[in-house]
């Protein structure tokens, strides 16, 4: 599978924030979000190297961290994720998979971190065919239902404006059964100032609904840098 970068850092987002982790970032994505902060690994992906499952496992073992984050791009594009997660699980690594929740594979994982994409992700201004593809792919609520029924999960929504919260509610109503405490509202931001400006109203809303505010701690710790 195509691996754009493999590095160690602290998990900056979600329930396992602060966990020392090895990140495996795969290349390629089936979406084209306007706010993508890893375009080098998603729709502009020309980087990285093709590694076998054995090579990835060996590099992960060399780092020595017990938590592995499989991220992208969209890691679920690769069927090799199945043997990779099996091998990692056999070696007793804790596995997080970060996905937009549009694709399903019978992987092994301890936490599936799903970030369903709202309409604020639409790449307005991109060629029509690109916008159409994004809109066709982004909303696979039936896949999200399956994933959250099989794995420990978190549902992470990227919020830019207060009106996005209405769309989150509509989405959750359609989703059906879910645990409110596992709904994370994350500000759309690539710098600390923008994140803090949004933090107040998102936190207030999250607390009132029984959800969680989800800061992007990697911005606080390292700024908007690759390899973090
Ligand atoms: S799903 Fe994630 S990796 Fe893919 S384009 Fe959107 S933000 Fe980028």
């Amino acid at each position: 599978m195509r691996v754009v970068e493999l590095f160690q850092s602290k998990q900056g987002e979600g329930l396992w924030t602060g966990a020392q982790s090895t990140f495996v970032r795969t290349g390629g994505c089936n979406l084209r979000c306007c706010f993508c902060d890893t375009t080098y690994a998603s729709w502009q992906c020309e980087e990285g190297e093709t590694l076998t499952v054995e090579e990835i496992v060996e590099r992960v073992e060399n780092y020595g961290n017990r938590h592995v984050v499989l991220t992208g791009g969209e890691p679920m594009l690769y069927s090799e994720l199945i043997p990779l997660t099996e091998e990692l699980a056999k070696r007793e690594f804790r596995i997080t998979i970060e996905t937009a929740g549009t694709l399903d594979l019978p992987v092994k994982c301890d936490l599936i971190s799903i970030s369903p994409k709202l309409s604020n992700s639409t790449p307005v201004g991109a060629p029509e065919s690109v916008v159409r593809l994004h809109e066709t792919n982004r909303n696979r609520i039936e896949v999200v239902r399956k994933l959250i029924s099989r794995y420990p999960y978190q549902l992470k929504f990227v919020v830019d404006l207060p009106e996005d919260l209405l769309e989150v509610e509509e989405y959750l109503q359609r989703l059906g059964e879910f645990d409110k405490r596992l709904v994370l509202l994350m500000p759309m931001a690539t710098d600390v100032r923008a994140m803090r400006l949004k933090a107040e109203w998102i936190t207030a809303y999250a607390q009132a609904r029984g959800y969680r505010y989800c800061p992007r701690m990697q911005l606080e710790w390292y700024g908007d840098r690759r390899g973090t």
Side-chain angles (χ1 to χ4, degrees):
M1 58 202 285
R2 188 135 194 98
V3 175
V4 173
E5 51 186 3
L6 205 158
F7 59 95
Q8 65 176 344
S9 187
K10 277 189 292 187
Q11 173 59 289
E13 298 173 6
L15 300 178
W16 290 0
T17 293
Q20 185 64 25
S21 313
T22 300
F23 290 77
V24 180
R25 188 181 303 286
T26 60
C29 189
N30 58 343
L31 299 182
R32 188 173 172 172
C33 306
C34 59
F35 55 69
C36 184
D37 59 356
T38 55
T39 52
Y40 59 92
S42 56
W43 37 276
Q44 286 174 354
C45 183
E46 289 162 5
E47 296 184 29
E49 52 186 331
T50 302
L51 298 178
T52 64
V53 166
E54 293 72 27
E55 287 168 330
I56 297 170
V57 171
E58 191 186 332
R59 292 189 193 190
V60 166
E61 284 202 313
N62 287 342
Y63 276 113
N65 303 306
R66 299 318 302 164
H67 179 221
V68 183
V69 181
L70 304 172
T71 188
E74 175 51 80
M76 297 287 252
L77 284 173
Y78 293 94
S79 58
E80 295 101 309
L81 210 64
I82 304 167
L84 175 61
T85 55
E86 284 169 355
E87 275 306 311
L88 291 171
K90 218 186 284 172
R91 288 166 165 78
E92 298 187 344
F93 285 99
R94 286 199 310 159
I95 303 166
T96 293
I97 296 179
E98 297 185 335
T99 176
T102 62
L103 300 162
D104 188 11
L105 287 175
V107 288
K108 289 202 179 295
C109 76
D110 301 285
L111 176 67
I112 192 139
S113 178
I114 308 171
S115 183
K117 297 298 181 267
L118 305 175
S119 58
N120 63 16
S121 68
T122 304
V124 179
E128 201 190 320
S129 57
V130 172
V131 173
R132 203 176 322 117
L133 197 66
H134 179 86
E135 291 304 295
T136 309
N137 283 341
R138 78 175 167 86
N139 196 350
R140 293 268 190 267
I141 203 162
E142 70 287 357
V143 172
V144 175
R145 281 194 198 107
K146 277 191 207 158
L147 294 173
I148 69 173
S149 72
R150 283 211 309 270
Y151 304 109
Y153 67 90
Q154 61 189 20
L155 285 167
K156 206 166 56 178
F157 292 92
V158 177
V159 176
D160 185 29
L161 301 168
E163 48 263 41
D164 294 340
L165 297 169
L166 278 178
E167 200 177 330
V168 171
E169 289 309 323
E170 283 165 16
Y171 185 94
L172 291 172
Q173 268 182 19
R174 281 192 294 127
L175 185 61
E177 289 281 301
F178 64 92
D179 185 340
K180 281 186 170 192
R181 295 165 303 175
L182 304 178
V183 174
L184 278 53
L185 303 180
M186 191 169 76
M188 189 189 294
T190 52
D191 64 76
V192 173
R193 194 172 158 273
M195 184 169 74
R196 289 184 185 157
L197 280 174
K198 292 172 187 172
E200 204 172 317
W201 55 268
I202 297 178
T203 303
Y205 184 84
Q207 283 176 351
R209 307 290 300 197
Y211 309 149
R212 297 172 198 234
Y213 169 66
C214 176
R216 307 187 69 206
M217 290 308 295
Q218 68 272 37
L219 292 179
E220 298 270 3
W221 295 330
Y222 314 111
D224 185 21
R225 284 202 291 120
R226 280 182 67 161
T228 59

